[in-house]
Amino acid sequence: MSEIEGSAVPANISPGSRASRRRFLQLSALAGAGAALAAPGAAAASAPAGQKAGQSKPPVNGRGTNATYYNDAQFNAADPFVLHDVSGYYYAYSTDGATTVDGRSYLFAVYRSPDLVTWEQLPGGAIPADEPNRWGRDWFWAPAVYHNRSTGKYFMFYAARQRDNVERDFGYASFEEPCKVGVAVADSPAGPFSSIANHPIDYFPYDPDYHDVNLIMDATQLKPPATLAEGLTAPLGTYIPFIDPDVFFDEDGRIYLYFSRNAYRNWVWDTELGKYIEESNIYAVELTRDWWNDPTGSTLPSIAPAYRDANKRVDAPPGARRDGYAPILSYGADPQAWENAHVNDYTLYHGTRKDRRWEEGSTTFVRHVRDGRGKPVRVYYLLYSANNWENEYYGVGYATSSGPLGPFTKYAGNPILSEDLSLPISGTGHGSLAFSPDGQESYYVHHGRPADGPRKLYTSRLLMDGAGVDAHGVPALSTVESVSDEPVPSGVAPYRLTTSAGKVVVSVGQSAPATWTVQSANRVPMPLANPLNRVVVGVDRPDVVAVAADGASSATLTGLRPGTAVVTLAYQRRLASGQYVDVVNRRGAHSEPVTQVVRVVVTNRPA
């Protein structure tokens, strides 16, 4: 049994950093504020304009239910990271979307779901914005959470722009993007998280071979030298700002931190284009296990000794430590044309933007598969996003390697997730890997945009097989990009609807409460306030009892005249068309509606 929290996964996949699981690799709702008062089976209005229409009935999906979901882009959620908790809930952590509670602001929105597709937002956020150990000035980005089941601690890695000691840690007080990674800890996946220290992790990645052309650029810092020869006159060496932490726990017990080098201060000469492009690349560094093994959760992660001061040059001037790193992914090492969406931005935007490339938002996992010759092999997959997140060209590709530190080779069919105007959806990317409750299906939870505006939360199937093999003979990945009706993840059903009482006795003119809950197969409550699902309430004798909805999961029953009535509750899910359909549990050829009845007896005397 793993010490890392998450959902069950197929035995040939080691989830590593972003794959949630319950066991480790064995080989090593109601719309609005109230309940729907209608007969079960009643349909809602048609789909809003511009929304892709769904089917009139959900497809039979062979997974114990007819229930479906669709990506309704309901929640603001940039750079989502998903943790499958021991409670059975999935938690998604987002760069944006946090709210203010009782006048207190928070960082990083927290969403919760029993099934990976029906979400609710928790109040506030993960970290209080005024926490005592706040070290970041702004740019709080890309939270990622890992649970140690042995200690019970939850660790949140996140990036921010450093507030203090910029000149000390980056060499220049004017360093524009002094980004680093910090770690916060909590005893609950819902938080609140508290930063372990009032500073980021003790890591100072340094590139000793980089000619820091920013030092010979003009004050705007937008246009680099026109020639390589001029760029080579710039001083050597720069500290590396970094974001987008992704922690990978390998099968041998070693822990790696993957991160994205900011494009800032990384002008790379492109021989083909004949100019400098400022690039974001993906690097990695090994971490020690001290922080993970600390039962108090008070130890800040540190890098392995081999990386400490590894890039110190003998002839370098005195200064702070200069740590090493392992290059993982870059355009220069493995160029792909789809990553060139912004290499002419300086001209297109009339000198107000830089020519840039991005590779960021990585997710790493390992699989045990067979190659084209039938030989068992271990393959490391690294999902990443490229291009500008603000742009419609943002997309997802992946690369593979035989080891955690590479060399990685990009899949020739990249991108595997990108803009689709027919849906519409654009700006797709920066997500995390998660598995269905029974571990049989994999998903990529990511952000995207249905139109202009903030990034929204999407859940897309990630197919590990069925797309053929890549150039190395290992299974290729593909995604199902959809805003129409899709089967709920496997292992969610059968559903269970329960009520507070099977029989209620009231007198004429008096009232009694009724409450209900819908649970997944793992007995995790469904968020009935999310309009993707609801419980409808009907009564066979409305002249005997009146039913008034009080909210998503309760109603008031009022006696009108003596007699007996039956109140029927039915669980429904909404289709992309806007219609609601009754949900049934299936076992073989047998189908059973997810319903419950309450017998209401109205008397002339007090109950």
Side-chain angles (χ1 to χ4, degrees), residues 520-605:
S520 69
N522 290 333
R523 298 296 184 258
V524 185
M526 300 297 298
L528 294 175
N530 184 325
L532 285 179
N533 66 162
R534 70 179 186 181
V535 169
V536 291
V537 184
V539 58
D540 66 339
R541 296 188 64 186
D543 59 319
V544 172
V545 63
V547 182
D550 298 326
S553 55
S554 63
T556 298
L557 310 177
T558 302
L560 300 179
R561 70 181 184 86
T564 300
V566 176
V567 174
T568 301
L569 299 91
Y571 181 54
Q572 296 185 333
R573 291 193 65 88
R574 191 172 73 180
L575 303 179
S577 66
Q579 291 181 314
Y580 283 92
V581 296
D582 293 343
V583 174
V584 300
N585 292 324
R586 299 187 187 278
R587 180 175 295 178
H590 178 68
S591 295
E592 183 178 352
V594 183
T595 59
Q596 192 59 267
V597 297
V598 178
R599 185 167 172 260
V600 183
V601 178
V602 181
T603 67
N604 274 320
R605 57 185 183 276

Side-chain angles (χ1 to χ4, degrees), residues 172 206-217 225 230-239 265 313 317:
Y172 305 93
Y206 185 82
D207 187 343
D209 301 317
Y210 174 70
H211 287 271
D212 195 354
V213 300
N214 286 74
L215 298 177
I216 61 173
M217 290 166 59
E230 183 183 357
L232 294 178
T233 67
L236 276 171
T238 187
Y239 282 98
R265 226 67 173 211
R313 293 170 61 101

